[in-house]
């Protein structure tokens, strides 16, 4: 049986777009009702759901609503792609070992919400992209695959960032395929 994936994103959704062009995506979930990823999903004909943590009494209830969606669609693998929330114990205990994340740095270097900016500010001559299993820490789970991305002498933060994203767009499809997710 083909592995069913759901993609979670918080904003732009360019990684979602690359994935959805190559793999069947059962649905996309956005934790902001105005996230641009929802527009992308509509254009690609991918089902989407959006609701916000602040609409619930607590994170446990919010994540219980997410679990309902995942079980309703019989999702095998949760693909975080710019989902800027920490996965809490409710979702993690239900799906541990079935959630992966992409991070725009070479972990354990520059974890957190600003991996590209932090590497740039630190003046590194190389950073990278990492895809890892999600555990209870912040960007601490077991690495599945990572690549180095150089910072070139004439880079601006914009050209450096664009190179990181280009590498993300290559790496996520490779990893999904290696995990047994069938292409379209
Ligand atoms: C990506 O660069 C992803 O690696 C990063 O957010 C961006 C989302 O872009 N994720 C993190 O920083 C997680 N800590 P996108 O919405 O255009 O795919």
């Amino acid at each position: 049986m083909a592995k069913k994936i759901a993609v979670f994103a918080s904003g732009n959704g360019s990684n979602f777009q690359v994935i959805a062009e190559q793999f069947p995506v059962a649905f996309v979930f956005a934790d902001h009702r105005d996230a641009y990823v929802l527009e992308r999903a509509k254009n690609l004909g991918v089902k989407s759901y959006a609701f916000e943590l602040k609409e619930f009494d607590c994170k446990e209830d919010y994540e219980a609503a997410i679990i309902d969606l995942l079980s309703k669609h019989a999702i095998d693998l949760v693909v975080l792609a710019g989902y800027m929330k920490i996965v809490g114990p409710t979702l993690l205990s239900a799906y541990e070992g079935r959630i992966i994340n992409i991070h725009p740095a070479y972990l354990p270097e520059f974890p957190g919400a600003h991996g590209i900016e932090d590497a740039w500010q630190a003046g590194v001559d190389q950073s990278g992209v990492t895809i890892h299993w999600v555990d209870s820490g912040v960007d601490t789970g077991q690495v599945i695959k990572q690549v180095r991305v150089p910072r070139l002498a004439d880079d601006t933060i914009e050209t450096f960032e664009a190179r990181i994203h280009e590498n993300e767009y290559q790496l996520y499809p490779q990893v999904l395929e290696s995990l047994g997710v069938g292409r379209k």
Side-chain angles (χ1 to χ4, degrees), residues 29-49:
F29 169 70
D31 61 334
H32 294 289
R33 290 182 182 272
D34 60 355
Y36 185 63
V37 69
L38 298 168
E39 197 66 32
R40 293 184 191 267
K42 199 165 141 194
N43 294 335
L44 287 158
V46 175
K47 184 182 264 303
S48 67
Y49 298 95

Side-chain angles (χ1 to χ4, degrees), residues 48-172:
S48 67
Y49 298 95
F51 48 77
E52 305 199 5
L53 176 56
K54 66 180 186 216
E55 296 162 12
F56 294 81
D57 287 342
C58 58
K59 192 158 177 180
E60 199 178 333
D61 290 355
Y62 161 80
E63 290 197 335
I66 291 176
I67 292 168
D68 279 348
L69 290 178
L70 294 172
S71 32
K72 183 175 139 205
H73 288 274
I75 296 301
D76 299 299
L77 185 69
V78 179
V79 176
L80 307 186
Y83 177 68
M84 303 307 278
K85 269 195 180 60
I86 297 190
V87 174
T90 307
L91 178 53
L92 194 61
S93 60
Y95 279 84
E96 184 142 32
R98 293 185 287 168
I99 310 176
I100 62 175
N101 180 47
I102 188 162
H103 184 74
Y106 200 88
L107 291 172
E109 299 168 11
F110 309 109
H114 309 287
I116 299 174
E117 208 180 306
D118 291 348
W120 177 263
Q121 294 294 348
V124 295
D125 57 18
Q126 56 176 2
S127 185
V129 171
T130 303
I131 293 171
H132 63 95
W133 293 104
V134 170
D135 67 8
S136 59
V138 177
D139 301 325
T140 52
Q142 194 198 331
V143 171
I144 301 170
K145 193 165 183 186
Q146 54 190 169
V147 288
R148 278 292 185 187
V149 179
R151 167 179 167 161
L152 304 180
D154 61 354
D155 266 346
T156 60
I157 185 156
E158 288 79 19
T159 57
F160 176 62
E161 182 166 358
R163 189 175 308 112
I164 298 273
H165 290 312
E166 280 311 316
N167 278 270
E168 293 190 307
Y169 305 153
Q170 300 298 317
L171 198 63
Y172 232 155

